[in-house]
Amino acid sequence: MEGDTSDTERAVITQKYSRKGKHVRKRRLLSETETDMERPQKRNEKDTRAENKTNATEKQRTEESENEHEMDIDSADTGNIRSIKIRAETIQKKLVNHLTNPDNGIKQGTTRYILTKIGNLQSLLQESLLLNSRLEGQIEALKSETRKQRKDFVAAEKKAAIAVQAQPQKMTYAERLGIKSKAAELSNLKQDPPNVAVIRPADKTKFTNSEETKRALIDLVSPKENSLQVKNVRKVQGSAIIVETAKSGNVQTLIQSEKLKSAGLLVDIPVKKNPRIIVYGAPRTENDEDVIQAILDQNCSEQEKKKYAQQMKIAFKTGNKNNKDSCNIVLETSKEAREILIKKERLYIMWQCCRAQDYIAATRCYKCQAYGHTTKHCRSETDVCGHCATAGHIFKNCPNRNKPATCVNCKKNRKTHTHSVTDKECPSHVAAINQLLTRTDYGQ
């Protein structure tokens, strides 16, 4: 049969495949041998790579550590001299180590040049640090002086507070207010009612001036017989005089005096003046009624507008005349209207927001320098200098301007007068302010 194979053919096939298997086994053995020989080499290469990787990691860690160290130094206070010095030394060492390394590839001449410049920078740094140390010393000295001054100021304040507490409760109006300027805060003012009477002639032709009225009073009324305690008799503008007594009953005695009535002298209790308020930066208009109406409409309720519409008027205006847009206005108001406006502190007038406060100014004559009247109504025949208190010339022509000032008012009243007549702490000025406050109705 065709499918059967003879024994000879099977032997040939077996031998053939046997030889083939032998060669396969031999090649496999050689391959395994070669693999065993290559395995240590590959292992060595792997170890080398791992070692290199480890060295690179350690180097990176070292560099990161150095960078972190530098970052820590950089994050230190820049104002600390020690921190700056350490940072500079670290950078210098790195530069020098790099430049002195023969494998850096930098020429020797270039290395010397860079090292020279590093030395110069180091010298500049030392000079800067020295200057900074000097400045720190000066700052510390200033701080010490400031602390000392602060302690002295606190001690002075405590001493002043103790002195104020030790003062008697009876003080003048100016002392209560601490008046040193034309404007003052009067919200806490408490005035004691003065015992004052105004004596004036019914017929001005009979007594032509206040001196004649005063002489008539002295001739007609005896303080001893009437138990009068007169504190002051003061002349005022015109033919009137003001008599201030220690007791309220003394004023009634003068009012009921028949001798004074028979002589044609009238005795009245003076009517107090309305308070005044100054408004800074108000719009300048020709019609004062527009400003008053704006104050009422923009700052008061409907009830207040109806109540105070007729209780305020513009007394006068001050400020720079060249400013055509705004000025300072002085309002004369009732005591009720004044209280409402002062509490607001700011008044809205048209397109302006204006500061408002009490206006207190003692009138002084620029001719005779006396308080109580203006130059227009002055009766003095000669000018009195406001600097040297000498009659016959004005301040502009004073030959003694290089000498210390003398107050003519305090000199007349036999008080300390080694100050200017314009001094706001002048005793005569304070007295004039007290009289003004006494004659003003603040409703308290």
Side-chain angles (χ1 to χ4, degrees), residues 28-270:
R28 185 178 295 172
L29 180 62
L30 290 172
S31 177
E32 290 176 356
T33 304
E34 291 175 356
T35 303
D36 291 336
M37 292 175 65
E38 293 174 357
R39 205 170 276 163
Q41 183 177 359
K42 291 180 179 179
R43 189 182 298 112
N44 291 336
E45 293 177 356
K46 184 176 181 181
D47 293 340
T48 302
R49 288 197 299 271
E51 184 177 358
N52 293 336
K53 185 176 182 180
T54 303
N55 294 335
T57 303
E58 291 179 357
K59 183 178 180 181
Q60 182 178 2
R61 287 178 180 175
T62 303
E63 292 176 354
E64 290 178 354
S65 177
E66 292 177 355
N67 291 334
E68 289 177 357
H69 180 65
E70 290 179 359
M71 290 176 64
D72 291 339
I73 295 176
D74 291 336
S75 63
D77 185 8
T78 56
N80 191 328
I81 297 178
R82 182 177 178 82
S83 173
I84 297 174
K85 189 175 182 180
I86 292 174
R87 188 161 63 251
E89 290 177 351
T90 303
I91 296 172
Q92 182 188 9
K93 287 179 181 179
K94 285 187 176 182
L95 286 173
V96 172
N97 291 335
H98 180 71
L99 292 171
T100 54
N101 186 0
D103 299 331
N104 56 15
I106 302 175
K107 294 182 180 180
Q108 192 173 9
T110 304
T111 301
R112 286 197 299 270
Y113 176 78
I114 296 175
L115 289 176
T116 302
K117 294 301 180 183
I118 292 175
N120 295 337
L121 290 175
Q122 186 69 16
S123 299
L124 291 175
L125 177 62
Q126 293 295 335
E127 292 179 3
S128 301
L129 294 177
L130 180 60
L131 178 60
N132 188 73
S133 299
R134 292 176 181 174
L135 292 175
E136 282 190 343
Q138 294 176 1
I139 292 173
E140 188 61 31
L142 290 174
K143 287 182 178 179
S144 177
E145 182 65 22
T146 302
R147 287 193 294 267
K148 183 176 180 296
Q149 291 179 356
R150 188 181 294 113
K151 289 181 179 180
D152 294 341
F153 178 74
V154 172
E157 277 193 335
K158 290 181 179 179
K159 187 176 179 181
I162 294 173
V164 169
Q165 293 177 357
Q167 288 180 353
Q169 296 297 322
K170 188 67 176 179
M171 295 188 295
T172 64
Y173 301 127
E175 289 172 339
R176 294 178 190 176
L177 300 175
I179 294 174
K180 293 184 180 180
S181 64
K182 293 183 179 181
E185 176 62 43
L186 300 178
S187 58
N188 298 321
L189 178 66
K190 292 184 179 179
Q191 297 184 29
D192 299 325
N195 305 311
V196 176
V198 178
I199 302 176
R200 65 179 187 276
D203 185 2
K204 294 183 179 180
T205 59
K206 189 174 181 179
F207 300 94
T208 58
N209 54 56
S210 56
E211 182 62 34
E212 292 180 0
T213 305
K214 180 180 178 181
R215 178 55 56 187
L217 173 65
I218 294 173
D219 294 339
L220 295 171
V221 179
S222 173
K224 182 178 180 181
E225 293 177 1
N226 294 277
S227 300
L228 296 179
Q229 296 179 351
V230 180
K231 295 177 65 177
N232 188 22
V233 178
R234 187 169 65 253
K235 302 175 186 178
V236 294
Q237 183 179 347
S239 303
I241 60 173
I242 294 177
V243 180
E244 183 179 358
T245 63
K247 298 179 181 179
S248 59
N250 295 158
V251 175
Q252 294 299 323
T253 300
L254 293 173
I255 293 175
Q256 298 171 3
S257 175
E258 295 295 334
K259 293 182 179 180
L260 293 177
K261 293 179 182 179
S262 301
L265 294 174
L266 301 178
V267 182
D268 297 318
I269 297 176

Side-chain angles (χ1 to χ4, degrees), residues 308-325:
Y308 304 129
Q310 304 300 325
Q311 297 185 14
M312 64 177 69
K313 65 178 181 179
I314 296 180
F316 58 90
K317 301 176 182 179
T318 65
N320 187 358
K321 295 181 179 180
N322 295 327
N323 189 344
K324 298 180 180 180
D325 297 327

